[in-house]
Amino acid sequence: MKNVFIMIVLVSGLVFAGCSSKHVAPQEQPAQIEMQKQAVVPAKEPSKQLSQRQPENITDQQLAKVETTEEAPTYSEEKSPFEDIHFDYDKYEIQSDAQVALKSVSSWLLKNPSARLLIEGHCDERGTNEYNLALADRRAKSVRDYLIALGIASPRVEMVSYGKEKPICTEHTEGCWAKNRRAHFVILREAGK
Amino acid sequence: MKTRSKIQSSKFKGSTILLFTVCLLSAVCRLMPAVAEAKVYIDISSPAFRKLPVAIQEFTGPSGKEISDIIRNDLAITGLFAFIERAAHLENPSQPFNPKNWTPIGAEAVVKGSATMAKDLIVTVSLYDVVEGKEILRKEYKAGKELLRPLSHTISNDIYYALTGETGIFRSRIAFVGEDKGERSVYIMDWDGNRITRTGLKGNIVLSPRWARDGSRLIYSAERNRQWGIYLLDFTKMSERKVFSSKGTNMAGDFFPDGDEFVISSSKGGNPDLYVVNLKNSAATRLTSSRGIEVSPAVSPDSGYIAFVSDRGGSPQIYLMRKDGSGVKRITFEGSYNTSPAWSPKGDKIVFAGRRGTNQIFIVNPDGAGLTQLTSQGNNEDPSFSPDGRYITFSSDRDGVKGIYIMRANGESQERITPRNLKTYNPRWSPN
């Protein structure tokens, strides 16, 4: 019995080898759509037989509305007294003029110990959503790291990236793009205080 | 004596099996050329294959025209068929098929059908081989009236399979982000832009819906209350669940094939790195730890590799690594801004957006060879392949309002499929 199986394997090998060498030629011709012979199809995908008695019943994935559960904010927000600081294209290093601005942000925070700061990172519209979100994340983090280095306690400085999703200027010009490559500041107060 | 006869009979059985196997295999062998020739191979360098001349008759009965038009539109996107227009048909749709009516006008395949509408819509379809003069497909379909389009797409799939031996994509869908009156939400539509459905899922910003490989779930990123979370939409339960959140920016990447794990980009550890998140225990395992940006991970179909974007070389480029984070190698070298990689279903191509003044769609082999630009008008982003790898969906602003487009994988036949009054982006073709 064992020998028989070995023979089957050997013969199968031969037959298949015959198959592949025999049909090299047809594959060299330009690809053509040909009618498939009925006998072939059920073997490959039995569920798609060419003729059937019972009608195929068509159903569709349900798509009922799923509502997002709203989450309540844990703080209230105030407009900050600070101007935006700006970045070079595809860069997240703090420029020298921005360093001056950040020093005044840090001295304000030192004088207002109950306030927390939210830094928003933004990009211009060039580039793709996800990379811009990562880039704007790095911009906000550069600002946050700079403020921490100036002596602000890290829990007082939050950050969020908006990528290119919230431009303040919508023209497709270098002037507009420069305005959008920014870190924006928001003052946070604990909710209910 | 008894033993001997037993041995003999088993020998006899053995040689019968052997003979049978040889017969079976040679039968398979004889059938193989049909399979080999039926297989349509589309080389993206645009080969000279011959389009099959097909006549799709207007179906008889209620909604017959609509159904047969949907089928024609489905088959048209493939670029594999030449349609014999209805005005040229010599045979009335209600007449029985006669090859003599079709040979003179050059049709090689003919589709005929009839629809009846009672409680349900019932459609009977026949596909004929004109050269052989015989019916090669006959099937009946039944659906509620509201499912006329899915029913028609199912017919297209069966015709396509009968003619090419390949599975059609005509019932696949595209998930995307839409912005209606400033409110962003996850949407789902058919691949042809019909049946646009807005889920109730929203955030201030919603991005990147990504399908699980079985098409039953989506993950996406949303910013809510100034926090970026990763959310899971389960179609079987119709529920949304927050599956990952932390301080920093969290962006949905891609499911692993088993559906229990997915890879994301998160800046929870200081800067944007890639993590594998387990859905069962919410554990996040770090994959990268460079000082720069790692974002937009895409898992290869065999799950062995992850393509992603990193700026570790000074500009955003596409890299590949093994699924455990080892063996990182860069695969894009042209241009200074290459992002948003997605794999072809066979794993032989990666499609991405590259900036060349404006953002354009490119494809490249996973070894970095064979770079080909597919688009040239406007800004084109967020590419992903159809389940059969023959088409690519992407977003473009080429006509002013950002919308979702589809094209063949060689860049031919670029077509907007979403309406101009809806700003849409981040399309992802469903895996089935």
Side-chain angles (χ1 to χ4, degrees):
Chain A
M1 207 54 193
K2 200 179 173 186
N3 288 340
V4 171
F5 279 121
I6 292 170
M7 278 182 74
I8 291 174
V9 172
L10 283 175
V11 173
S12 321
L14 283 174
V15 174
F16 273 120
C19 268
S20 48
S21 61
K22 195 173 148 194
H23 302 299
V24 168
Q27 281 178 335
E28 282 169 2
Q29 290 167 359
Q32 247 188 22
I33 311 164
E34 291 267 325
M35 306 286 188
Q36 254 203 346
K37 301 299 167 268
Q38 193 163 353
V40 180
V41 177
K44 194 178 169 192
E45 204 160 324
S47 63
K48 291 194 176 174
Q49 291 184 2
L50 292 183
S51 50
Q52 57 170 46
R53 299 275 146 76
Q54 287 292 318
E56 179 173 341
N57 207 2
I58 311 298
T59 55
D60 197 32
Q61 196 168 56
Q62 284 285 316
L63 205 67
K65 282 247 155 75
V66 184
E67 288 295 332
T68 293
T69 324
E70 301 287 344
E71 299 159 55
T74 55
Y75 43 75
S76 62
E77 298 182 4
E78 287 171 18
K79 197 172 177 293
S80 89
F82 315 118
E83 300 275 316
D84 292 351
I85 66 158
H86 296 97
F87 295 85
D88 284 343
Y89 172 65
D90 201 23
K91 294 281 184 285
Y92 41 82
E93 289 79 24
I94 307 287
Q95 295 168 1
S96 50
D97 56 336
Q99 292 176 7
V100 179
L102 290 179
K103 276 172 191 141
S104 67
V105 173
S106 79
S107 34
W108 185 91
L109 282 169
L110 292 170
K111 278 180 226 146
N112 295 272
S114 71
R116 287 162 66 215
L117 184 71
L118 176 76
I119 306 158
E120 295 178 359
H122 296 271
C123 294
D124 68 36
E125 63 174 356
R126 298 172 291 171
T128 46
N129 301 113
E130 292 189 10
Y131 189 77
N132 272 334
L133 273 165
L135 178 64
D137 178 283
R138 291 307 309 257
R139 286 179 177 161
K141 181 165 188 297
S142 297
V143 173
R144 182 171 187 266
D145 287 349
Y146 197 87
L147 291 173
I148 291 168
L150 290 174
I152 307 301
S154 60
R156 292 184 65 199
V157 201
E158 299 285 338
M159 51 173 268
V160 64
S161 173
Y162 286 116
K164 64 170 177 177
E165 311 302 323
K166 293 192 167 184
I168 45 170
C169 186
T170 54
E171 285 158 39
H172 313 296
T173 59
E174 179 47 52
C176 217
W177 292 332
K179 282 183 197 159
N180 287 332
R181 293 191 300 266
R182 70 201 193 274
H184 178 74
F185 301 98
V186 177
I187 304 299
L188 301 179
R189 306 270 184 199
E190 294 294 323
K193 284 192 185 172
Chain B
M1 197 55 198
K2 262 188 181 171
T3 332
R4 201 185 155 142
S5 80
K6 218 180 197 176
I7 292 167
Q8 271 183 338
S9 87
S10 105
K11 252 189 192 160
F12 173 72
K13 223 188 258 171
S15 48
T16 312
I17 294 170
L18 181 62
L19 191 68
F20 177 72
T21 312
V22 173
C23 289
L24 187 74
L25 286 170
S26 52
V28 169
C29 200
R30 253 183 279 124
L31 289 171
M32 272 177 75
V35 178
E37 282 165 27
K39 197 167 187 181
V40 179
Y41 177 69
I42 298 182
D43 187 350
I44 58 155
S45 58
S46 219
F49 69 89
R50 188 186 68 101
K51 291 188 177 194
L52 183 77
V54 177
I56 298 172
Q57 292 224 280
E58 186 174 318
F59 288 12
T60 60
S63 306
K65 183 174 188 304
E66 193 181 351
I67 295 164
S68 45
D69 285 350
I70 293 169
I71 296 167
R72 188 193 188 285
N73 183 58
D74 284 350
L75 297 180
I77 178 74
T78 68
L80 302 175
F81 305 97
F83 296 100
I84 312 287
E85 290 311 325
R86 282 173 190 160
H89 296 184
L90 303 171
E91 190 170 284
N92 191 296
S94 56
Q95 286 176 299
F97 168 77
N98 183 345
K100 286 181 184 145
N101 292 329
W102 299 104
T103 315
I105 55 173
E108 292 179 29
V110 175
V111 178
K112 292 170 88 85
S114 61
T116 59
M117 189 94 81
K119 186 168 154 282
D120 285 323
L121 171 65
I122 294 176
V123 181
T124 308
V125 175
S126 289
L127 170 65
Y128 300 94
D129 176 339
V130 175
V131 180
E132 304 233 338
K134 70 172 190 185
E135 188 176 66
I136 53 170
L137 167 74
R138 182 184 188 81
K139 199 166 156 182
E140 201 170 281
Y141 304 83
K142 188 176 124 185
K145 291 165 196 165
E146 74 286 359
L147 297 181
L148 183 142
R149 295 196 72 90
L151 181 145
S152 308
H153 291 312
T154 307
I155 297 171
S156 303
N157 278 340
D158 287 345
I159 293 170
Y160 186 75
Y161 186 75
L163 293 177
T164 69
E166 298 212 0
T167 304
I169 50 97
F170 308 118
R171 283 209 62 187
S172 62
R173 292 160 300 155
I174 293 173
F176 61 97
V177 178
E179 233 178 285
D180 188 21
K181 297 179 191 85
E183 193 171 82
R184 305 184 196 206
S185 184
V186 175
Y187 287 70
I188 313 262
M189 65 181 170
D190 289 351
W191 73 274
D192 59 3
N194 276 282
R195 301 201 305 153
I196 293 178
T197 309
R198 177 179 170 173
T199 70
L201 307 172
K202 50 186 190 256
N204 292 321
I205 306 172
V206 183
L207 283 181
S208 324
R210 302 284 157 81
W211 297 87
R213 303 280 166 105
D214 66 356
S216 72
R217 290 172 296 168
L218 278 177
I219 45 169
Y220 53 95
S221 342
E223 184 268 321
R224 294 173 185 166
N225 288 324
R226 297 190 181 275
Q227 288 280 326
W228 278 98
I230 312 280
Y231 297 85
L232 177 84
L233 167 64
D234 188 326
F235 291 110
T236 54
K237 296 179 190 146
M238 283 321 289
S239 64
E240 186 203 49
R241 179 158 77 91
K242 192 194 261 188
V243 287
F244 186 84
S245 74
S246 71
K247 292 216 168 180
T249 309
N250 301 304
M251 283 180 269
D254 202 3
F255 270 101
F256 282 96
D258 68 6
D260 288 334
E261 288 184 319
F262 55 86
V263 55
I264 61 163
S265 170
S266 173
S267 62
K268 75 188 195 94
N271 54 53
D273 273 306
L274 304 183
Y275 295 79
V276 174
V277 179
N278 187 304
L279 263 180
K280 286 178 178 162
N281 59 16
S282 298
T285 313
R286 193 169 182 150
L287 283 182
T288 61
S289 49
S290 88
R291 295 171 50 143
I293 292 169
E294 261 79 48
V295 73
S296 303
V299 179
S300 68
D302 68 0
S303 83
Y305 293 88
I306 295 171
F308 63 101
V309 175
S310 173
D311 74 341
R312 60 182 71 188
S315 64
Q317 298 292 344
I318 315 265
Y319 290 75
L320 221 58
M321 65 182 175
R322 291 194 201 94
K323 85 178 264 198
D324 63 0
S326 69
V328 177
K329 67 170 189 173
R330 179 170 163 179
I331 63 165
T332 54
F333 296 92
E334 278 182 43
S336 59
Y337 198 107
N338 295 307
T339 61
S340 310
W343 292 85
S344 70
K346 284 184 192 140
D348 58 342
K349 297 281 174 195
I350 290 170
V351 64
F352 66 93
R355 189 161 184 86
R356 307 291 189 269
T358 49
N359 295 322
Q360 302 302 337
I361 309 297
F362 293 81
I363 54 170
V364 69
N365 301 340
D367 64 0
L371 181 71
T372 310
Q373 183 170 344
L374 299 178
T375 58
S376 54
Q377 285 179 273
N379 281 289
N380 305 283
E381 296 169 20
D382 312 319
S384 69
F385 277 96
S386 63
D388 64 353
R390 290 190 186 286
Y391 318 99
I392 291 167
T393 183
F394 58 100
S395 66
S396 179
D397 66 357
R398 64 183 65 177
D399 67 1
V401 183
K402 212 166 200 197
I404 292 167
Y405 288 68
I406 55 170
M407 65 180 167
R408 291 183 201 132
N410 61 3
E412 282 174 7
S413 199
Q414 302 185 13
E415 183 194 340
R416 184 179 177 119
I417 55 167
T418 51
R420 269 169 191 76
N421 61 7
L422 186 65
K423 187 180 171 190
T424 53
Y425 45 88
N426 285 181
R428 274 277 153 160
W429 214 309
S430 68
N432 50 21

